[in-house]
Amino acid sequence: QLQLQESGPGLVRPSETLSLTCTVSGVSITSRSSYWGWIRQPPGKALEWIGSIYYSGSTSFNPSLKSRVTIFLDTPKNQFSLKLNSVTAADTAVYYCARQPVGPTMADAFDVWGQGAMVIVSS
Amino acid sequence: SSELTQDPAVSVALGQTVRITCQGDSLRSYLASWYQQKPGQAPLLVIYGKNNRPSGISDRFSGSSSGNTVSLTIAGAQAEDEADYYCNSRDSSGNSVVFGGGTKLTVL
């Protein structure tokens, strides 16, 4: 059974770098059948796609965040990670990792999600 | 603001049918998906593509599309269907994933 679990600091200082890791169990992140994505949700607000990565390391990002975001794979640990630099209070949100199956009928759907990790940006 | 537009709130009487819509120019070219999110929980995929339900999702949930609008229909709404619903698809460039602003469904 596929499961995803986010981990990382719950508090980040303004101007510093937010770092989160998603541990995947039940399927290899080197599978060609999946992208792996990060989505966030500020308190009381809508979901926002941050970016996704493929087994090859190919990435795509939300244009509004692209200049501050890095997503990378750690294949021996079956993990993928997010780094968001120069954070401000506007980056306070629940951060989710999720699987995005490949396929013409999949409609960029995220079918399995982690439970989410709350990250607060504050001094 | 999102490239996918949803009504902020919709209500439905218990047992009735409700349609939640999502509009955007990109929907003329790209398929969409729908998620249910209850308070304090991660989103749950309920419909993807033209009208596909993941395993375990009730057949009371169905999807449809017309022009620049996709719709999620819930037949015989139940109290447990009360939640926020989000659509997602591609943006108009086709290079990015976008989510709608969400619709809060109240079951009366």
Coordinates of all heavy atoms in Angstrom, one line a residue, chain A residues 3-84:
Chain A
Q3 N 2.1 4.8 0.7 CA 2.0 5.8 1.7 C 3.1 6.9 1.6 O 4.2 6.6 1.2 CB 2.1 5.2 3.1 CG 0.9 4.3 3.5 CD 1.0 3.8 4.9 OE1 2.0 3.3 5.4 NE2 -0.1 3.9 5.6
L4 N 2.7 8.1 1.9 CA 3.6 9.2 1.8 C 3.6 9.9 3.2 O 2.5 10.1 3.8 CB 3.3 10.2 0.7 CG 3.5 9.8 -0.7 CD1 2.3 8.9 -1.2 CD2 3.6 11.0 -1.6
Q5 N 4.8 10.4 3.7 CA 4.9 11.0 5.0 C 5.8 12.2 4.9 O 7.0 12.0 4.6 CB 5.3 10.0 6.0 CG 5.5 10.7 7.4 CD 4.2 11.1 8.0 OE1 3.3 10.2 8.3 NE2 4.1 12.3 8.4
E6 N 5.3 13.4 5.2 CA 6.2 14.6 5.2 C 6.9 14.7 6.5 O 6.4 14.3 7.6 CB 5.3 15.9 5.0 CG 4.5 15.9 3.8 CD 3.1 15.3 4.0 OE1 2.8 14.7 5.1 OE2 2.2 15.4 3.1
S7 N 8.1 15.3 6.5 CA 8.8 15.5 7.7 C 9.7 16.8 7.5 O 10.1 17.1 6.4 CB 9.7 14.3 8.1 OG 10.6 14.0 7.1
G8 N 10.0 17.4 8.7 CA 10.8 18.6 8.6 C 10.4 19.6 9.7 O 9.4 19.4 10.4
P9 N 11.2 20.7 9.9 CA 10.9 21.7 10.9 C 9.6 22.3 10.8 O 9.1 22.6 9.7 CB 12.0 22.7 10.7 CG 13.1 22.0 9.9 CD 12.4 21.0 9.1
G10 N 8.9 22.5 11.9 CA 7.6 23.2 11.9 C 7.7 24.7 12.0 O 6.7 25.4 11.8
L11 N 8.9 25.2 12.3 CA 9.1 26.6 12.4 C 10.3 27.0 11.7 O 11.4 26.4 11.8 CB 9.2 27.0 13.9 CG 9.5 28.5 14.2 CD1 8.3 29.3 13.8 CD2 9.8 28.6 15.7
V12 N 10.2 28.1 10.8 CA 11.3 28.6 10.0 C 11.4 30.1 10.2 O 10.3 30.7 10.2 CB 11.1 28.2 8.5 CG1 12.3 28.7 7.7 CG2 11.0 26.7 8.4
R13 N 12.5 30.6 10.3 CA 12.7 32.1 10.5 C 12.6 32.8 9.2 O 12.9 32.2 8.1 CB 14.1 32.4 11.1 CG 14.4 31.7 12.3 CD 13.5 32.1 13.5 NE 13.9 31.4 14.7 CZ 13.2 31.4 15.8 NH1 12.0 31.9 15.8 NH2 13.6 30.8 16.9
P14 N 12.0 34.0 9.2 CA 11.9 34.7 7.9 C 13.3 34.9 7.3 O 14.3 35.0 8.0 CB 11.4 36.1 8.4 CG 10.6 35.8 9.6 CD 11.4 34.7 10.3
S15 N 13.3 34.8 6.0 CA 14.5 34.9 5.1 C 15.3 33.6 5.0 O 16.2 33.6 4.2 CB 15.4 36.1 5.5 OG 16.2 35.7 6.6
E16 N 15.0 32.7 5.8 CA 15.7 31.4 5.8 C 15.1 30.4 4.8 O 14.2 30.8 4.1 CB 15.8 30.8 7.2 CG 16.6 31.7 8.1 CD 16.9 31.1 9.5 OE1 16.3 30.1 9.8 OE2 17.8 31.7 10.2
T17 N 15.6 29.2 4.8 CA 15.2 28.2 3.9 C 14.3 27.1 4.5 O 14.7 26.5 5.6 CB 16.3 27.5 3.2 OG1 17.1 28.5 2.4 CG2 15.9 26.4 2.2
L18 N 13.1 26.9 4.0 CA 12.2 25.9 4.4 C 12.6 24.6 3.7 O 12.8 24.5 2.5 CB 10.8 26.2 4.0 CG 9.6 25.3 4.3 CD1 8.3 26.2 4.3 CD2 9.5 24.2 3.3
S19 N 12.8 23.5 4.5 CA 13.2 22.2 4.0 C 12.3 21.1 4.5 O 12.1 21.0 5.7 CB 14.6 21.9 4.4 OG 15.5 22.8 3.9
L20 N 11.7 20.4 3.6 CA 10.8 19.3 3.9 C 11.2 18.0 3.1 O 11.6 18.2 1.9 CB 9.3 19.6 3.6 CG 8.7 20.7 4.5 CD1 7.3 21.1 4.0 CD2 8.6 20.2 5.9
T21 N 10.9 16.9 3.7 CA 11.2 15.6 3.0 C 9.9 14.8 3.0 O 9.2 14.8 4.0 CB 12.3 14.8 3.7 OG1 13.5 15.6 3.5 CG2 12.5 13.5 3.1
C22 N 9.7 14.1 1.9 CA 8.6 13.2 1.8 C 9.1 11.7 1.7 O 9.9 11.4 0.7 CB 7.7 13.5 0.6 SG 6.3 12.5 0.4
T23 N 8.8 10.9 2.6 CA 9.2 9.5 2.6 C 8.1 8.7 2.0 O 7.0 8.7 2.4 CB 9.6 9.0 4.0 OG1 10.6 9.8 4.5 CG2 10.0 7.5 3.9
V24 N 8.5 8.0 0.9 CA 7.5 7.2 0.2 C 7.7 5.7 0.5 O 8.8 5.2 0.5 CB 7.7 7.4 -1.3 CG1 6.7 6.5 -2.1 CG2 7.5 8.8 -1.7
S25 N 6.6 5.0 0.8 CA 6.7 3.6 1.1 C 5.6 2.9 0.2 O 4.5 3.4 0.0 CB 6.4 3.3 2.6 OG 5.2 3.8 3.0
G26 N 5.9 1.7 -0.2 CA 5.0 0.9 -1.0 C 5.2 1.0 -2.5 O 4.6 0.1 -3.2
V27 N 6.0 1.9 -3.0 CA 6.4 2.0 -4.4 C 7.7 2.7 -4.5 O 8.0 3.6 -3.7 CB 5.3 2.6 -5.2 CG1 5.2 4.1 -4.9 CG2 5.5 2.4 -6.7
S28 N 8.5 2.4 -5.5 CA 9.7 3.1 -5.7 C 9.5 4.4 -6.4 O 8.8 4.5 -7.4 CB 10.7 2.2 -6.6 OG 11.8 2.9 -6.9
I29 N 10.2 5.4 -5.9 CA 10.1 6.7 -6.6 C 10.8 6.8 -7.9 O 10.7 7.7 -8.7 CB 10.7 7.9 -5.7 CG1 12.2 7.7 -5.4 CG2 9.9 8.0 -4.4 CD1 12.8 8.9 -4.7
T30 N 11.5 5.7 -8.3 CA 12.1 5.6 -9.6 C 11.2 5.0 -10.6 O 11.5 4.8 -11.8 CB 13.4 4.7 -9.5 OG1 13.1 3.4 -9.1 CG2 14.4 5.3 -8.6
S31 N 10.0 4.7 -10.2 CA 8.9 4.2 -11.1 C 8.7 5.2 -12.2 O 8.5 6.4 -11.9 CB 7.7 3.9 -10.3 OG 6.6 3.7 -11.2
R32 N 8.5 4.7 -13.4 CA 8.2 5.6 -14.5 C 6.8 6.0 -14.6 O 6.4 6.8 -15.4 CB 8.7 5.0 -15.8 CG 10.2 4.8 -15.9 CD 10.6 4.3 -17.3 NE 12.0 4.0 -17.3 CZ 12.7 4.0 -18.5 NH1 12.1 4.2 -19.6 NH2 14.0 3.8 -18.4
S33 N 6.0 5.4 -13.7 CA 4.5 5.6 -13.8 C 4.0 6.8 -12.9 O 2.8 7.0 -12.9 CB 3.8 4.3 -13.4 OG 4.1 4.0 -12.0
S34 N 5.0 7.5 -12.3 CA 4.6 8.5 -11.3 C 5.4 9.7 -11.4 O 6.7 9.6 -11.5 CB 4.5 8.0 -9.9 OG 3.7 6.9 -9.8
Y35 N 4.8 10.9 -11.2 CA 5.5 12.1 -10.8 C 5.3 12.2 -9.3 O 4.4 11.6 -8.7 CB 4.9 13.3 -11.5 CG 5.3 13.5 -12.9 CD1 4.5 12.9 -13.9 CD2 6.3 14.3 -13.3 CE1 4.8 13.0 -15.3 CE2 6.6 14.5 -14.7 CZ 5.9 13.8 -15.6 OH 6.2 14.0 -17.0
W36 N 6.1 13.0 -8.7 CA 6.0 13.3 -7.2 C 5.9 14.8 -7.0 O 6.7 15.5 -7.4 CB 7.1 12.6 -6.5 CG 7.3 11.2 -6.8 CD1 8.1 10.6 -7.7 CD2 6.5 10.1 -6.2 NE1 7.9 9.3 -7.8 CE2 6.9 8.9 -6.9 CE3 5.5 10.0 -5.2 CZ2 6.4 7.7 -6.5 CZ3 5.0 8.8 -4.9 CH2 5.4 7.6 -5.6
G37 N 4.8 15.2 -6.3 CA 4.6 16.6 -6.2 C 4.5 17.2 -4.8 O 4.3 16.4 -3.8
W38 N 4.6 18.5 -4.7 CA 4.4 19.2 -3.5 C 3.3 20.2 -3.7 O 3.3 20.9 -4.7 CB 5.7 20.0 -3.1 CG 6.8 19.1 -2.5 CD1 7.9 18.6 -3.2 CD2 6.9 18.6 -1.2 NE1 8.6 17.8 -2.4 CE2 8.1 17.8 -1.1 CE3 6.1 18.7 0.0 CZ2 8.5 17.1 0.0 CZ3 6.5 18.1 1.1 CH2 7.7 17.3 1.1
I39 N 2.4 20.3 -2.7 CA 1.3 21.2 -2.8 C 1.2 21.8 -1.4 O 1.4 21.2 -0.4 CB -0.1 20.5 -3.1 CG1 0.0 19.7 -4.4 CG2 -1.2 21.4 -3.0 CD1 0.3 18.2 -4.3
R40 N 0.8 23.1 -1.3 CA 0.7 23.7 0.0 C -0.7 24.4 0.1 O -1.4 24.6 -0.8 CB 1.8 24.7 0.3 CG 1.7 26.0 -0.6 CD 2.8 26.9 -0.2 NE 2.8 28.2 -1.0 CZ 3.6 29.2 -0.8 NH1 4.7 29.1 0.0 NH2 3.5 30.3 -1.5
Q41 N -1.0 24.7 1.4 CA -2.4 25.3 1.7 C -2.2 26.2 2.9 O -2.1 25.8 4.0 CB -3.4 24.2 2.0 CG -4.8 24.7 2.2 CD -5.8 23.6 2.3 OE1 -5.5 22.5 2.8 NE2 -7.0 23.8 1.7
P42 N -2.2 27.5 2.6 CA -2.1 28.5 3.8 C -3.4 28.3 4.6 O -4.4 27.9 4.1 CB -2.1 29.8 3.1 CG -1.5 29.6 1.7 CD -2.1 28.2 1.3
P43 N -3.3 28.7 5.9 CA -4.5 28.5 6.7 C -5.8 29.2 6.2 O -5.7 30.4 5.8 CB -4.1 29.2 8.0 CG -2.6 29.1 8.0 CD -2.2 29.2 6.6
G44 N -6.8 28.4 6.0 CA -8.1 29.0 5.5 C -8.1 29.3 4.0 O -9.1 29.9 3.6
K45 N -7.1 28.9 3.3 CA -7.0 29.2 1.9 C -7.0 28.0 1.0 O -7.1 26.9 1.5 CB -5.8 30.1 1.6 CG -5.9 31.5 2.3 CD -4.8 32.4 1.9 CE -4.9 33.8 2.6 NZ -3.9 34.7 2.1
A46 N -6.9 28.2 -0.3 CA -7.0 27.1 -1.3 C -5.6 26.4 -1.4 O -4.6 26.9 -1.0 CB -7.4 27.7 -2.6
L47 N -5.7 25.3 -2.1 CA -4.5 24.5 -2.4 C -3.7 25.2 -3.5 O -4.3 25.9 -4.4 CB -4.9 23.1 -2.9 CG -5.7 22.2 -2.0 CD1 -6.3 21.1 -2.7 CD2 -4.9 21.8 -0.8
E48 N -2.4 25.1 -3.4 CA -1.5 25.7 -4.4 C -0.4 24.7 -4.7 O 0.3 24.3 -3.8 CB -0.9 27.0 -3.8 CG 0.1 27.7 -4.8 CD 0.8 28.9 -4.2 OE1 1.0 28.9 -3.0 OE2 1.0 29.9 -4.9
W49 N -0.3 24.4 -6.0 CA 0.7 23.5 -6.5 C 2.1 24.2 -6.4 O 2.2 25.4 -6.9 CB 0.4 23.1 -7.9 CG 1.5 22.2 -8.6 CD1 1.8 21.0 -8.3 CD2 2.3 22.6 -9.7 NE1 2.8 20.5 -9.1 CE2 3.1 21.5 -10.0 CE3 2.4 23.8 -10.4 CZ2 4.1 21.6 -11.0 CZ3 3.3 23.8 -11.4 CH2 4.1 22.7 -11.7
I50 N 3.1 23.5 -5.9 CA 4.4 24.1 -5.8 C 5.3 23.6 -6.9 O 6.0 24.4 -7.6 CB 5.1 23.8 -4.4 CG1 4.3 24.3 -3.3 CG2 6.5 24.3 -4.4 CD1 4.7 23.8 -1.9
G51 N 5.3 22.3 -7.1 CA 6.1 21.7 -8.2 C 6.1 20.2 -8.1 O 5.6 19.6 -7.2
S52 N 6.6 19.6 -9.2 CA 6.6 18.1 -9.3 C 8.0 17.7 -9.9 O 8.6 18.4 -10.6 CB 5.5 17.6 -10.2 OG 4.2 18.0 -9.6
I53 N 8.3 16.4 -9.6 CA 9.6 15.8 -10.1 C 9.3 14.4 -10.6 O 8.4 13.7 -10.1 CB 10.6 15.8 -9.0 CG1 12.0 15.4 -9.5 CG2 10.2 14.9 -7.8 CD1 13.2 15.7 -8.6
Y54 N 10.0 14.1 -11.7 CA 9.9 12.8 -12.3 C 11.1 11.9 -11.9 O 12.1 12.5 -11.4 CB 9.8 12.9 -13.8 CG 9.3 11.7 -14.6 CD1 8.3 10.9 -14.1 CD2 9.8 11.4 -15.8 CE1 7.8 9.8 -14.8 CE2 9.4 10.3 -16.5 CZ 8.4 9.6 -16.0 OH 7.9 8.5 -16.7
Y55 N 11.0 10.6 -12.1 CA 12.1 9.7 -11.7 C 13.4 10.1 -12.3 O 14.5 9.9 -11.7 CB 11.7 8.3 -12.1 CG 12.1 7.9 -13.5 CD1 13.2 7.2 -13.8 CD2 11.3 8.4 -14.6 CE1 13.6 7.0 -15.1 CE2 11.6 8.1 -15.9 CZ 12.7 7.4 -16.1 OH 13.1 7.1 -17.5
S56 N 13.4 10.7 -13.4 CA 14.6 11.2 -14.1 C 15.3 12.4 -13.5 O 16.4 12.7 -13.8 CB 14.3 11.5 -15.6 OG 13.3 12.6 -15.6
G57 N 14.5 13.0 -12.6 CA 15.0 14.3 -12.0 C 14.5 15.5 -12.7 O 14.7 16.6 -12.2
S58 N 13.7 15.3 -13.7 CA 13.1 16.4 -14.4 C 12.1 17.1 -13.5 O 11.3 16.4 -12.8 CB 12.4 15.9 -15.7 OG 11.6 16.9 -16.3
T59 N 12.0 18.4 -13.5 CA 11.1 19.1 -12.6 C 10.3 20.1 -13.3 O 10.6 20.6 -14.4 CB 11.9 19.9 -11.5 OG1 12.9 20.7 -12.1 CG2 12.6 18.9 -10.5
S60 N 9.2 20.5 -12.7 CA 8.3 21.6 -13.2 C 7.8 22.3 -11.9 O 7.6 21.7 -10.9 CB 7.2 21.1 -14.0 OG 6.4 20.2 -13.3
F61 N 7.7 23.6 -12.1 CA 7.4 24.5 -10.9 C 6.3 25.5 -11.2 O 6.1 25.9 -12.3 CB 8.6 25.2 -10.4 CG 9.8 24.4 -10.0 CD1 11.0 24.4 -10.8 CD2 9.7 23.5 -8.9 CE1 12.0 23.6 -10.4 CE2 10.8 22.7 -8.6 CZ 11.9 22.8 -9.3
N62 N 5.6 25.9 -10.1 CA 4.7 27.0 -10.2 C 5.5 28.2 -10.5 O 6.4 28.6 -9.9 CB 4.0 27.1 -8.8 CG 2.9 28.2 -8.8 OD1 3.0 29.2 -9.5 ND2 1.9 27.9 -8.1
P63 N 5.1 28.9 -11.6 CA 5.9 30.1 -12.0 C 6.0 31.1 -10.9 O 7.1 31.8 -10.8 CB 5.1 30.7 -13.2 CG 4.3 29.5 -13.7 CD 4.0 28.6 -12.6
S64 N 5.0 31.2 -10.0 CA 5.1 32.2 -9.0 C 6.1 31.9 -7.9 O 6.5 32.7 -7.1 CB 3.7 32.4 -8.3 OG 3.4 31.3 -7.6
L65 N 6.6 30.6 -7.9 CA 7.5 30.2 -6.8 C 8.8 29.7 -7.4 O 9.8 29.5 -6.7 CB 6.9 29.0 -6.0 CG 5.6 29.4 -5.2 CD1 5.0 28.1 -4.7 CD2 5.9 30.3 -4.1
K66 N 8.9 29.6 -8.7 CA 10.0 29.0 -9.4 C 11.4 29.5 -9.0 O 12.3 28.7 -8.8 CB 9.8 29.1 -10.9 CG 10.9 28.4 -11.7 CD 10.6 28.5 -13.2 CE 11.5 27.7 -14.0 NZ 11.2 27.7 -15.5
S67 N 11.5 30.8 -8.8 CA 12.8 31.3 -8.4 C 13.3 31.0 -7.0 O 14.5 31.1 -6.7 CB 12.8 32.9 -8.5 OG 11.9 33.4 -7.6
R68 N 12.4 30.4 -6.2 CA 12.8 30.1 -4.8 C 12.8 28.6 -4.5 O 13.1 28.2 -3.4 CB 11.9 30.8 -3.8 CG 11.9 32.4 -3.9 CD 11.2 33.0 -2.7 NE 9.8 32.8 -2.7 CZ 9.1 32.4 -1.6 NH1 9.7 32.1 -0.5 NH2 7.8 32.3 -1.7
V69 N 12.3 27.8 -5.4 CA 12.1 26.4 -5.1 C 13.1 25.4 -5.8 O 13.5 25.6 -6.9 CB 10.7 26.0 -5.7 CG1 10.4 24.5 -5.5 CG2 9.6 26.8 -4.9
T70 N 13.4 24.4 -5.0 CA 14.2 23.3 -5.5 C 13.5 22.0 -5.0 O 13.0 21.9 -3.9 CB 15.6 23.3 -4.9 OG1 16.3 24.5 -5.2 CG2 16.4 22.1 -5.5
I71 N 13.3 21.0 -5.9 CA 12.8 19.7 -5.6 C 13.8 18.7 -6.1 O 14.3 18.8 -7.3 CB 11.4 19.5 -6.2 CG1 10.4 20.5 -5.6 CG2 10.9 18.1 -5.9 CD1 9.0 20.4 -6.2
F72 N 14.1 17.7 -5.3 CA 15.1 16.7 -5.7 C 14.8 15.4 -5.1 O 14.0 15.3 -4.1 CB 16.5 17.1 -5.3 CG 16.7 17.4 -3.9 CD1 17.2 16.4 -3.0 CD2 16.5 18.7 -3.3 CE1 17.4 16.7 -1.7 CE2 16.7 18.9 -2.0 CZ 17.1 17.9 -1.1
L73 N 15.3 14.3 -5.7 CA 15.1 12.9 -5.3 C 16.3 12.4 -4.4 O 17.4 12.8 -4.7 CB 15.0 12.0 -6.5 CG 13.9 12.3 -7.5 CD1 14.0 11.4 -8.7 CD2 12.5 12.2 -6.9
D74 N 16.0 11.6 -3.5 CA 17.0 10.8 -2.8 C 16.6 9.3 -3.0 O 15.9 8.8 -2.2 CB 17.1 11.2 -1.3 CG 18.2 10.5 -0.6 OD1 18.7 9.4 -1.1 OD2 18.6 10.9 0.5
T75 N 17.0 8.7 -4.1 CA 16.5 7.4 -4.5 C 16.9 6.3 -3.5 O 16.1 5.4 -3.2 CB 17.0 7.1 -5.9 OG1 18.4 7.2 -6.0 CG2 16.3 8.0 -6.9
P76 N 18.2 6.3 -2.9 CA 18.5 5.2 -2.0 C 17.5 5.2 -0.8 O 17.2 4.2 -0.2 CB 19.9 5.6 -1.5 CG 20.5 6.3 -2.7 CD 19.3 7.2 -3.2
K77 N 17.0 6.4 -0.4 CA 16.1 6.5 0.8 C 14.7 6.5 0.4 O 13.8 6.5 1.2 CB 16.4 7.8 1.6 CG 17.8 7.8 2.3 CD 17.9 9.0 3.1 CE 19.3 9.1 3.8 NZ 19.5 10.3 4.6
N78 N 14.4 6.4 -0.9 CA 13.1 6.5 -1.5 C 12.3 7.7 -1.0 O 11.2 7.7 -0.5 CB 12.2 5.2 -1.2 CG 11.3 4.9 -2.3 OD1 11.7 4.9 -3.5 ND2 10.1 4.5 -2.0
Q79 N 13.0 8.9 -1.1 CA 12.5 10.1 -0.6 C 12.6 11.2 -1.7 O 13.5 11.1 -2.6 CB 13.2 10.6 0.7 CG 13.1 9.7 1.9 CD 14.0 10.2 3.0 OE1 15.0 10.8 2.8 NE2 13.6 9.9 4.2
F80 N 11.7 12.2 -1.6 CA 12.0 13.4 -2.4 C 11.8 14.6 -1.5 O 11.0 14.5 -0.5 CB 11.1 13.5 -3.6 CG 9.6 13.5 -3.4 CD1 8.9 14.7 -3.6 CD2 8.9 12.4 -3.1 CE1 7.5 14.8 -3.4 CE2 7.5 12.4 -2.9 CZ 6.8 13.6 -3.0
S81 N 12.4 15.7 -1.8 CA 12.5 16.8 -0.9 C 12.2 18.1 -1.6 O 12.4 18.3 -2.8 CB 13.9 16.9 -0.2 OG 14.2 15.7 0.5
L82 N 11.8 19.1 -0.7 CA 11.5 20.4 -1.1 C 12.3 21.4 -0.4 O 12.5 21.3 0.9 CB 10.0 20.7 -0.8 CG 9.5 22.2 -0.9 CD1 9.5 22.6 -2.4 CD2 8.2 22.3 -0.2
K83 N 12.9 22.4 -1.1 CA 13.5 23.5 -0.4 C 12.9 24.8 -1.0 O 12.8 24.9 -2.2 CB 15.0 23.5 -0.7 CG 15.8 22.4 0.1 CD 17.3 22.5 0.1 CE 18.0 21.4 0.8 NZ 17.7 21.5 2.3
L84 N 12.5 25.7 -0.1 CA 12.0 27.0 -0.5 C 12.8 28.0 0.2 O 12.7 28.1 1.5 CB 10.5 27.0 -0.1 CG 9.7 28.3 -0.4 CD1 9.6 28.6 -1.9 CD2 8.4 28.3 0.3

